[in-house]
Amino acid sequence: MAEGAAAAVGAGLDVNTAGNPTEVAMAYLQDETDGDIANLNLGELDLTTDEYILDEVDIHIQANLEDDLVKEALKTGVDLRQYSKQVEAELQRIEQASIKDYIKESQNIALLHNQITACDSILERMEGMLSGFQSDLSSISSEIQTLQQQSVSMNVRLKNRQAVRSHLSQLVDELVVPGAMISTILDSPVTEQEFLEQLHELNNKINFAKELSFRETLACSDIQDIVDRLKLKAVSKIREFILQKIYSFKKPMTNYQIPQNTLLKYRFFYQFLLANERTVAKEIRDEYVDTMSKIYYSYFKSYSGRLLKVQYEEVADKDDLMGVEDTAKKGFFSKPSLKSRNTIFTLGQRGAILSPAELEGPILVPHTAQRGDSRYPYETLFRSQHYALLDNGCREYLFLSDFFMVAGNSALDLFNSIMGKTLGMLVKSMTAYVSDCYDSIAVFLCIHIILRFRAITAKRNIPALDKYWEAVLELLWPRFELILEMNIHSIRNTDPQKLGVLDTRPHYITRRYAEFSSAIVSINQTFPNERTNALLGQLQVEVENFVLKMAAEFPSRRDQLIFLINNYDMMLGVLMERAADDSKEVEGFQQLLLARTQEFIEEILSPPFGGMIAFVKEAEALMEKGQLDRLKNEEARITQLVRGFSGTWKQSVESMSQDVMRSFTNFKNGTSIIQGALTQLIQYYHGFHKILNQPTFRSLAVRSELINLHHLMVEVKKHKPNF
């Protein structure tokens, strides 16, 4: 109400009437309306101002002229003064209507005024509250920042304390020696798992104490004494345990692999000694090396000596060479008893020693073989001896690498310190034996045994025996080559006249060569060696020369060819049983056999059919030159040839077949020669037919007496022997 009275006073109303809402509203509206009319009439033109400018008047006049009402009035020619009065009257009427509306709504306006006033007071109170909240929030924000800073600080302190605690707890755990560790190290046997576990813990504490001593940690001195005492006790117990196991190797009939496997279970014992008491570790290592060196030396020396007692009693000597005559040594190639002696030039079943089953089979037990009166060739004994060496050597090398924790050259040096004496003894005894050995097949088999054993050790990645294998090969190869060269010289120096009665059957020297060559070739195919191939080539040349020298002793060319064919066929047959079909030896003898066979066929066809064969060859030569007419006057000769062949060919073929089968020891080869001879005969007779069909001889009456070629082929097939 105070504000309403103030408004009434400002409007020029009496204060006493200002309290009436209706009067207040009317006075307010009257005042507002008068102001609007004044503003409407004058606009923004202030005619009393000193700043009035005529240019601005022009602008306002121009703007009023643009008004739509002014334009309409000017257009209709209305008097502006009269029009202005009309407008003023209209405005008064509208003003009165508006005042009535205001008076009508005076109650609502007063109510609205009161509500606005109430809202102002509420908003004022809310503004005060919000100002209080704002001040409170600002203080809370500062408190939150303070708490955040305190939290970060506390988190940093916590992390630092946790880090310190972890280091301190680890340090305390490592420094503290539990009572269980002390009692276990002092009282428990070393073979118990608990002792091994506590030994690991003790080793960790020893290493930790060493590390702390370098840092000069004072707490280390508190436990150093007890740790040292426990270490000495553990070293003493471990030393006693390992030495007892090493001493057990020396007991008779002991399988030393069992205590070795036990030691491997406790390999950490040696690692502990090596880290904490090197003098004791060296003592144990030296004791092991000395003990095992003596055991291996004694075992292999005894085993090698006992193996030689079950070798064949009869062995090859310097006179058992390929070119030595059969009469020089009675019964040289008579079949020996398999229990007493092996063959020298024949491989037989000896090559089976190189099969995987026998190569890595169980070793021989000499006393068992002696009880059974069994005897073996040298290569079997050699295989057994060196397989035992291979097996023991590989096991020992792996044990040394694992238990003594050595590798590379250190492992090889340690292995050689144990096995060196034994290997030297084996090489020495082998040198003595090989120097008096003349069994080339045995030496060659030993070479290939070593080559295969070397491949086995390489596959197992065991380099310990590599130098020994090389030493043995350097010993065996020269001896094999020497024996082979001795055989070559013996064949080269053979005198055919000292070899007894001549015989067209295969010679025993060529049989020796065939058996020997097939044996060496079949063995050499697995590990080819050029030096061996070269020596075999020299031997083959000498044998071919020997066969030719022997054949030259026969007076007739026919017997010479039979001897050559029999020997070539025998050598080829033996070689093809073992050697590959494309080997140089097989191909060489195939060519020689084919050439001599063809020559022999011509030789046996010559007596019964020589005239016809000579005529065919002569006529074919003249036909090529176009001079066949030179034989025009040979009618009598041709007639004799035609009638002679027709009358005697069956008897001649039958006689020839029987003669061939008697001459050759190999029936299959004899059959092949007969078939070749009959085929050659048909070819010659076919050529004879062809010549007589030429114009020069068509007028001969004897042509009608020629045997039909097809009929001849049918008849000839009847004479082919079947075997």
Side-chain angles (χ1 to χ4, degrees):
M1 295 298 289
E3 292 178 357
V9 173
L13 299 176
D14 188 79
V15 176
N16 296 323
T17 62
N20 189 338
T22 304
E23 295 177 354
V24 172
M26 291 179 63
Y28 177 76
L29 291 174
Q30 181 66 40
D31 183 63
E32 290 295 327
T33 305
D34 292 340
D36 289 339
I37 294 172
N39 290 335
L40 178 64
N41 292 331
L42 299 177
E44 294 181 358
L45 295 178
D46 189 359
L47 300 179
T48 62
T49 181
D50 295 332
E51 297 178 0
Y52 178 73
I53 301 173
L54 291 178
D55 293 337
E56 291 182 1
V57 174
D58 293 337
I59 293 172
H60 285 290
I61 292 173
Q62 187 64 34
N64 289 329
L65 290 176
E66 295 296 327
D67 185 81
D68 292 337
L69 292 175
V70 175
K71 286 182 180 180
E72 182 66 23
L74 293 175
K75 188 181 294 184
T76 56
V78 176
D79 186 358
L80 290 178
R81 288 187 298 272
Q82 184 65 31
Y83 183 74
S84 175
K85 291 178 179 181
Q86 291 178 357
V87 170
E88 185 176 355
E90 183 68 23
L91 287 175
Q92 288 178 354
R93 187 183 60 80
I94 292 171
E95 178 183 358
Q96 293 298 324
S98 177
I99 290 172
K100 291 179 180 180
D101 289 337
Y102 274 111
I103 293 172
K104 184 179 180 180
E105 297 294 332
S106 60
Q107 293 294 332
N108 293 333
I109 293 173
L111 180 61
L112 178 62
H113 176 74
N114 293 333
Q115 290 177 349
I116 291 173
T117 303
C119 286
D120 285 343
S121 62
I122 292 172
L123 290 175
E124 184 177 359
R125 288 197 302 273
M126 289 183 66
E127 181 181 4
M129 292 173 62
L130 291 176
S131 298
F133 288 158
Q134 184 177 7
S135 62
D136 292 341
L137 288 175
S138 62
S139 62
I140 291 173
S141 176
S142 63
E143 290 178 3
I144 290 174
Q145 290 178 354
T146 303
L147 291 174
Q148 185 178 10
Q149 293 173 356
Q150 293 176 355
S151 175
V152 171
S153 176
M154 292 175 66
N155 189 36
V156 171
R157 289 198 300 271
L158 176 62
K159 289 182 178 179
N160 292 337
R161 290 179 181 179
Q162 288 177 341
V164 172
R165 180 181 179 181
S166 64
H167 287 295
L168 286 176
S169 62
Q170 182 180 359
L171 177 64
V172 172
D173 290 341
E174 294 292 344
L175 287 175
V176 171
V177 180
M181 176 185 292
I182 297 174
S183 61
T184 301
I185 296 296
L186 294 178
D187 302 328
S188 297
V190 297
T191 55
E192 290 188 3
Q193 182 65 26
E194 187 179 1
F195 180 86
L196 186 61
E197 293 175 357
Q198 294 298 334
L199 188 66
H200 277 279
E201 291 296 326
L202 177 60
N203 189 59
N204 292 335
K205 292 187 182 298
I206 293 172
N207 293 333
F208 190 72
K210 290 179 181 178
E211 182 181 349
L212 291 181
S213 64
F214 292 134
R215 300 178 184 176
E216 299 181 356
T217 304
L218 297 178
C220 179
S221 59
D222 296 339
I223 64 163
Q224 190 65 49
D225 182 60
I226 189 171
V227 168
D228 289 342
R229 290 183 182 183
L230 288 176
K231 181 181 73 172
L232 291 176
K233 184 62 178 179
V235 167
S236 175
K237 295 177 71 172
I238 291 171
R239 174 183 176 277
E240 182 181 358
F241 171 76
I242 296 179
L243 288 178
Q244 284 179 354
K245 291 298 178 184
I246 294 175
Y247 294 152
S248 68
F249 295 164
K250 301 179 181 180
K251 295 179 182 179
M253 307 300 292
T254 298
N255 182 359
Y256 58 86
Q257 294 175 5
I258 295 176
Q260 274 187 340
N261 292 335
T262 303
L263 288 176
L264 285 177
K265 287 174 59 179
Y266 303 102
R267 62 175 64 87
F268 180 72
F269 287 173
Y270 183 80
Q271 181 180 348
F272 181 83
L273 295 178
L274 194 64
N276 300 289
E277 200 64 47
R278 286 186 172 270
T279 55
V280 177
K282 184 178 185 303
E283 176 192 1
I284 289 176
R285 176 169 165 169
D286 292 344
E287 184 64 29
Y288 180 84
V289 169
D290 182 66
T291 301
M292 293 307 297
S293 176
K294 292 177 180 178
I295 290 174
Y296 282 126
Y297 181 82
S298 175
Y299 169 74
F300 278 100
K301 184 177 182 180
S302 172
Y303 185 65
S304 300
R306 285 183 286 134
L307 279 178
L308 292 177
K309 294 180 180 179
V310 295
Q311 186 185 3
Y312 283 130
E313 295 177 358
E314 296 183 34
V315 295
D317 56 30
K318 61 182 179 179
D319 295 325
D320 293 327
L321 298 175
M322 202 174 295
V324 176
E325 57 271 20
D326 206 10
T327 56
K329 193 167 185 178
K330 185 67 175 176
F332 187 85
F333 270 93
S334 60
K335 187 176 181 180
S337 172
L338 293 179
K339 291 187 177 181
S340 62
R341 189 169 182 274
N342 66 314
T343 56
I344 298 173
F345 300 108
T346 305
L347 184 62
Q349 297 300 317
R350 298 170 69 183
I353 196 71
L354 298 178
S355 65
E358 290 200 26
L359 189 69
E360 300 184 53
I363 64 174
L364 291 177
V365 182
H367 62 271
T368 303
Q370 283 180 313
R371 283 201 301 265
D373 198 24
S374 300
R375 292 292 182 268
Y376 301 94
Y378 178 72
E379 65 271 10
T380 301
L381 310 181
F382 182 88
R383 196 282 316 174
S384 183
Q385 179 190 54
H386 283 81
Y387 188 68
L389 177 65
L390 168 70
D391 187 51
N392 285 278
C394 290
R395 285 178 177 272
E396 188 62 32
Y397 181 81
L398 292 175
F399 174 82
L400 295 176
S401 301
D402 198 359
F403 185 78
F404 291 103
M405 297 177 296
V406 290
N409 292 331
S410 299
L412 293 177
D413 293 340
L414 184 58
F415 178 84
N416 290 329
S417 64
I418 294 175
M419 298 294 294
K421 188 177 179 181
T422 301
L423 298 179
M425 179 269 296
L426 292 176
V427 171
K428 185 176 180 181
S429 62
M430 198 182 310
T431 303
Y433 178 84
V434 170
S435 62
D436 195 38
C437 177
Y438 294 90
D439 187 352
S440 54
I441 291 182
V443 176
F444 198 60
L445 284 171
C446 291
I447 289 173
H448 279 264
I449 288 171
I450 294 297
L451 291 175
R452 284 163 174 75
F453 282 168
R454 184 172 66 178
I456 290 173
T457 55
K459 186 177 180 181
R460 295 181 183 178
N461 197 23
I462 306 293
L465 293 171
D466 288 351
K467 290 185 178 179
Y468 175 76
W469 300 140
E470 293 300 326
V472 174
L473 290 175
E474 289 176 1
L475 183 65
L476 294 176
W477 272 118
R479 187 64 189 178
F480 172 72
E481 293 173 355
L482 176 62
I483 300 173
L484 207 54
E485 289 173 354
M486 291 172 65
N487 281 287
I488 292 172
H489 289 303
S490 69
I491 294 176
R492 184 183 301 156
N493 299 329
T494 298
D495 186 356
Q497 296 180 355
K498 295 181 180 181
L499 297 180
V501 181
L502 292 175
D503 192 345
T504 57
R505 290 175 296 181
H507 199 273
Y508 57 82
I509 290 182
T510 58
R511 178 169 291 279
R512 294 175 187 173
Y513 162 77
E515 295 285 354
F516 177 78
S517 181
S518 65
I520 299 301
V521 168
S522 63
I523 297 171
N524 196 53
Q525 285 174 349
T526 53
F527 281 88
N529 180 268
E530 292 302 322
R531 176 62 176 162
T532 302
N533 293 333
L535 290 172
L536 286 177
Q538 295 179 23
L539 182 61
Q540 181 179 351
V541 171
E542 295 301 331
V543 170
E544 292 175 4
N545 293 336
F546 165 76
V547 173
L548 293 176
K549 285 193 297 182
M550 288 297 300
E553 296 294 317
F554 291 92
S556 67
R557 182 59 180 167
R558 180 178 177 278
D559 289 341
Q560 291 177 359
L561 291 173
I562 292 174
F563 177 80
L564 292 173
I565 291 173
N566 276 329
N567 281 276
Y568 291 153
D569 178 65
M570 181 274 298
M571 290 188 286
L572 185 62
V574 174
L575 282 170
M576 291 184 68
E577 288 180 2
R578 296 186 181 275
D581 293 343
D582 58 349
S583 65
K584 293 189 298 184
E585 292 79 9
V586 171
E587 291 180 352
F589 285 116
Q590 282 178 337
Q591 294 174 1
L592 291 172
L593 178 61
L594 181 62
R596 298 290 80 78
T597 300
Q598 194 61 38
E599 184 180 353
F600 179 74
I601 289 174
E602 296 291 337
E603 187 72 23
I604 61 175
L605 289 176
S606 181
F609 308 110
M612 181 190 68
I613 293 172
F615 177 78
V616 170
K617 290 181 178 179
E618 181 182 359
E620 287 178 346
L622 292 174
M623 283 176 62
E624 290 180 0
K625 299 177 182 179
Q627 301 174 359
L628 190 59
D629 291 342
R630 294 175 59 179
L631 297 177
K632 186 186 300 183
N633 299 323
E634 298 286 343
E635 182 179 353
R637 179 185 175 189
I638 294 172
T639 301
Q640 181 183 0
L641 292 175
V642 172
R643 291 174 178 172
F645 183 85
S646 300
T648 62
W649 75 270
K650 288 185 179 181
Q651 295 83 358
S652 298
V653 168
E654 183 67 29
S655 175
M656 181 178 64
S657 298
Q658 294 176 359
D659 185 35
V660 168
M661 297 309 297
R662 286 194 301 268
S663 299
F664 297 99
T665 55
N666 184 352
F667 288 152
K668 185 177 180 181
N669 185 42
T671 301
S672 176
I673 291 175
I674 292 173
Q675 291 177 350
L678 295 178
T679 302
Q680 189 67 33
L681 175 62
I682 292 174
Q683 289 178 353
Y684 280 132
Y685 198 69
H686 179 263
F688 190 53
H689 263 263
K690 185 177 179 180
I691 292 169
L692 295 184
N693 284 332
Q694 297 298 316
T696 305
F697 304 110
R698 283 179 183 173
S699 60
L700 296 178
V702 76
R703 289 180 67 250
S704 61
E705 299 180 23
L706 287 171
I707 300 174
N708 181 272
L709 191 61
H710 180 70
H711 176 70
L712 178 63
M713 293 174 65
V714 173
E715 291 295 326
V716 163
K717 286 183 179 180
K718 297 178 182 179
H719 291 275
K720 289 184 178 181
N722 297 316
F723 294 99

